[in-house]
């Protein structure tokens, strides 16, 4: 299995001294609970800096989080991220106790399609394999042939060797994939409520004002945004692009906390960030991470038959790895 660069992050020193002093008691409590529970905190790149730098053991994009869960031998995995990410960890590591600190941490994409929608699509397009973005429920994954993330969507679609595939649920990611492959993409029109807010017209105006600034964007943005971007990639790809190229300024079109995390790390890069926050990701806080480890809630429990079918789709994706 190809394994992404796994980031280990522990830099409370990024915070100003007063903020560090205020955060320290809670961070210490979480550290103690982690030791007691043999727990690992995996955090998505969209977590706020106090979580990302303060308590996360491993951080990354959705693909890296799934890879981490597959490799982990911790008894407990606490997902500082959204519910589909916690479910994916449980699917791929059924022996671990997987916790999500707030059950309301959902995702507009995962909520935009059901397992019966997928069954209907399969009836409408017999023979076309189903590629599901990991931003889906376990039930939807169980109806799918393979999963993908924004870090490997094109590679996954091409790996199937099919002439056409059903791609769900993100219509914008589907269109992005369609421009990078000859495989016919049958779309589902789900949307990310964070990335759909970036508009091509606004970006055009910004580019006129700031013509020298490179624009990097997540593929959940609309096609008229992506066609103006200098780089399009998963959150992992975006962070690495900035780390490697170190432009003096960059416009980052994705969730706003990630820009904060990158700005703390790379203080020589000025990040212009139209600030869209994901309300689901922001449900996760240091306080509810502490409470979750204290009370061992909320545990992700999956119906075994659904989990077994979903595991096949996630494992197939992990075989493809990162493109
Ligand atoms: P990544 O896999 O690129 O981290 O994206 C996850 C996500 O939810 C983006 O909105
Ligand atoms: Fe879902 Fe969009 Fe939030 Fe990512 S940013 S979790 S895709 S709603």
């Amino acid at each position: 299995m190809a394994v992404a660069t796994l980031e280990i992050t522990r830099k409370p020193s990024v915070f100003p001294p007063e903020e560090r002093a205020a955060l320290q008691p809670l961070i210490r409590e979480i550290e103690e609970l982690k030791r007691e529970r043999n727990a690992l905190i995996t955090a998505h790149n969209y977590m706020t800096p106090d979580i990302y730098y303060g308590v996360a053991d491993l951080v990354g994009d959705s693909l890296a989080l799934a890879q981490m869960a597959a490799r982990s031998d911790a008894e407990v995995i606490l997902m500082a991220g959204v519910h589909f990410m916690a479910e994916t960890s449980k699917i791929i590591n059924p022996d671990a106790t997987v916790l999500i600190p707030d059950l309301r941490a959902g995702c507009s994409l995962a909520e935009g399609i059901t397992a019966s929608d997928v069954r209907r699509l399969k009836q409408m397009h017999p023979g076309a394999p189903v590629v599901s973005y990991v931003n889906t429920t376990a039930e939807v994954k169980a109806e799918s042939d393979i999963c993908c993330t924004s870090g490997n969507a094109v590679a996954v679609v091409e790996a199937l060797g099919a002439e056409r595939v059903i791609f769900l649920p993100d219509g914008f990611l589907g269109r992005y994939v369609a421009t990078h492959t000859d495989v016919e993409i049958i779309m589902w029109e789900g949307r990310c409520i964070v990335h759909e807010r970036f508009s091509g017209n606004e970006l055009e105006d910004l580019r006129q004002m700031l013509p020298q600034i490179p624009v990097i964007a997540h593929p959940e943005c609309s096609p008229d945004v992506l066609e103006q971007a200098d780089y399009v990639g998963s959150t992992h790809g975006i962070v690495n692009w900035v780390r490697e190229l170190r432009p003096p300024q960059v416009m980052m079109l994705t969730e706003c906390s990630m820009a904060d995390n990158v700005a703390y790390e790379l203080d020589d890069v000025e990040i212009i960030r139209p600030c869209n926050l994901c309300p689901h990701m922001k449900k996760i806080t240091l306080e509810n991470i502490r409470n979750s480890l204290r009370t061992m809630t909320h545990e992700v429990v999956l119906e075994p038959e659904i989990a077994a079918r979903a595991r096949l789709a996630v494992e197939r994706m992990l075989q493809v790895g990162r493109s």
Side-chain angles (χ1 to χ4, degrees), residues 19-230:
E19 204 178 326
R20 202 180 323 155
L23 290 172
Q24 215 55 55
L26 197 45
I27 290 179
R28 225 175 278 133
E29 212 180 325
I30 292 171
E31 289 301 334
E32 269 166 38
L33 284 162
K34 276 202 297 200
R35 270 191 298 278
E36 269 171 40
R37 303 289 195 195
N38 183 18
L40 180 79
I41 298 186
T42 56
H44 186 258
N45 290 324
Y46 292 164
M47 287 296 104
T48 47
D50 53 347
I51 296 172
Y52 186 95
Y53 287 116
V55 297
D57 297 298
L58 296 162
V59 296
D61 66 358
S62 312
L63 181 57
L65 294 174
Q67 290 169 327
M68 289 167 198
R71 289 162 30 133
S72 169
D73 57 7
E75 283 170 51
V76 176
I77 298 174
L78 182 142
M79 177 56 69
V82 290
H83 196 264
F84 77 80
M85 294 172 177
E87 270 192 350
T88 306
S89 295
K90 182 68 185 175
I91 287 167
I92 205 69
N93 190 337
D95 294 336
T97 299
V98 177
L99 301 176
I100 177 103
D102 189 324
L103 285 171
R104 294 168 303 166
C107 169
S108 64
L109 286 166
E111 282 143 29
I113 189 160
T114 64
S116 65
D117 292 328
V118 185
R119 286 192 287 272
R120 212 174 48 245
L121 278 169
K122 289 198 279 195
Q123 274 170 6
M124 285 163 62
H125 305 282
V130 177
V131 180
S132 284
Y133 198 26
V134 281
N135 301 39
T136 45
T137 59
E139 288 76 12
V140 166
K141 289 182 175 74
E143 292 295 335
S144 308
D145 293 279
I146 188 166
C147 289
C148 74
T149 73
S150 54
N152 63 8
V154 177
V156 164
V157 164
E158 299 216 315
L160 291 170
E163 279 178 20
R164 52 184 206 142
V165 304
I166 298 167
F167 187 94
L168 54 91
D170 188 348
F172 288 162
L173 180 63
R175 282 175 183 73
Y176 174 75
V177 171
T179 60
H180 287 78
T181 181
D182 292 332
V183 178
E184 183 193 338
I185 307 291
I186 301 160
M187 319 262 182
W188 182 262
E189 293 299 344
R191 295 280 182 271
C192 161
I193 52 167
V194 176
H195 291 89
E196 72 173 352
R197 286 171 55 201
F198 297 112
S199 106
N201 287 341
E202 271 167 11
L203 180 56
E204 225 172 287
D205 293 345
L206 281 166
R207 289 214 78 147
Q208 269 172 19
M209 284 191 290
L210 306 162
Q212 78 291 359
I213 293 189
V215 173
I216 52 182
H218 194 276
E220 290 169 10
C221 294
S222 66
D224 55 345
V225 168
L226 297 184
E227 68 199 21
Q228 297 180 61
D230 298 285

Side-chain angles (χ1 to χ4, degrees), residues 18 29 39 120 157 182 192 216 240 276 287 296 306 315:
E18 321 76 65
E29 212 180 325
R120 212 174 48 245
V157 164
D182 292 332
C192 161
I216 52 182
N240 277 358
N276 290 349
E287 283 78 9
M296 296 297 282
I306 298 282
E315 278 174 352

